[in-house]
Amino acid sequence: MRRAAWLGLALGLLVACARALSPAAAGAQGHGEKPSLRTSALKINVDDMEKALSFYTGKLGFEVADRAEHPRRVVLKTDDRVKLILCKVGRLQKAGPSDTQVGLTLQVNDLDEAIRRMKAAGVEFAESERRKEGVGYAISVRDPFGRRISLMHQTVVKVEPFREPRLYNFGFLVPDMEAARDFYSNRLGFVVRSEKYLPLDLPLGHADKTFGFMLHYRPGVRPIKSEYPRAEPFYTVVFEAEDLRQSLAALKGLGVENITRKPSEGGRAGAVVFEDPFGNVSEIVQADK
């Protein structure tokens, strides 16, 4: 082999080794290419749309933003970019109090007034007394399907009056915070916004620093065996991706298990459905161009 060819081969090997030893390459080898995801919506799965509308609009006070796909799907109005969607399903997999699941928190202006109003409307309460939280006071109610919803009155900062209820946050109740952090941050790419609420709570966000969702460690919570697609969970977190095909490939490369592809519906491309390590089911949809 000529000297120039040997030099070319040696240079190529050096470049390849440098790339393999770089921190970025080491991370890619450890977890593979990450999907670029943003939180898009929270699906509130119900098996009776009229009962759901009676509760969420008639008792909680939400307005309807879009009912073009009623009775299969109704979008509730929020002042947040994340959509709340009532979604009619054939069967619900109801979560017990000790099961991992998604938790939803709505914000109210005055908790005492909200309690009086909802008691008068016949709303079922999951707690007899309000509880103290780090940012204010809260109490939980139940919807007609048995899911628990937290109502939060934020008192640590002054909040200008708003039309309630308002989406405060949502997140996953998990039995292992480190495993949840590894999955949602190290693997899926969501950014840790603050560690000051650990070991119980961890807010995750997007690369642009905007809020995404919460991880909540709660002692006694246990993983569940998902019944999807025979049954849908109480809630489904919907993420969006700039390139759905790339995200599907990335999930497989990351070793994410139980991935399925939903058929197209209503003119929308079929979502990618996957499970976290505890049995929580989420979806990824193609972002609007």
Side-chain angles (χ1 to χ4, degrees), residues 105 127 130-140 148 150-156 168 200-201 216 218:
T105 300
E127 297 172 288
R130 66 180 190 172
R131 64 184 185 276
K132 182 72 174 70
E133 295 283 349
V135 296
Y137 293 90
I139 197 167
S140 294
R148 186 171 171 138
S150 185
L151 305 177
M152 167 66 67
H153 178 185
Q154 189 174 0
T155 60
V156 292
Y168 187 70
L200 294 179
D201 303 291
H216 303 291
R218 296 295 182 265

Side-chain angles (χ1 to χ4, degrees), residues 75-137:
V75 181
L76 302 177
K77 186 178 293 185
T78 71
D79 61 358
D80 192 272
R81 64 169 187 80
V82 175
K83 296 179 180 177
L84 284 179
I85 305 171
L86 297 175
C87 186
K88 189 176 186 302
V89 299
R91 180 168 171 253
L92 280 173
Q93 180 180 0
K94 297 185 177 182
S98 298
D99 291 333
T100 186
Q101 57 188 288
V102 173
L104 170 64
T105 300
L106 303 176
Q107 188 175 6
V108 297
N109 289 291
D110 184 309
L111 188 59
D112 292 332
E113 175 57 31
I115 290 172
R116 285 193 293 270
R117 184 176 70 252
M118 292 188 189
K119 283 185 174 179
V123 173
E124 178 186 353
F125 282 77
E127 297 172 288
S128 58
E129 300 291 337
R130 66 180 190 172
R131 64 184 185 276
K132 182 72 174 70
E133 295 283 349
V135 296
Y137 293 90

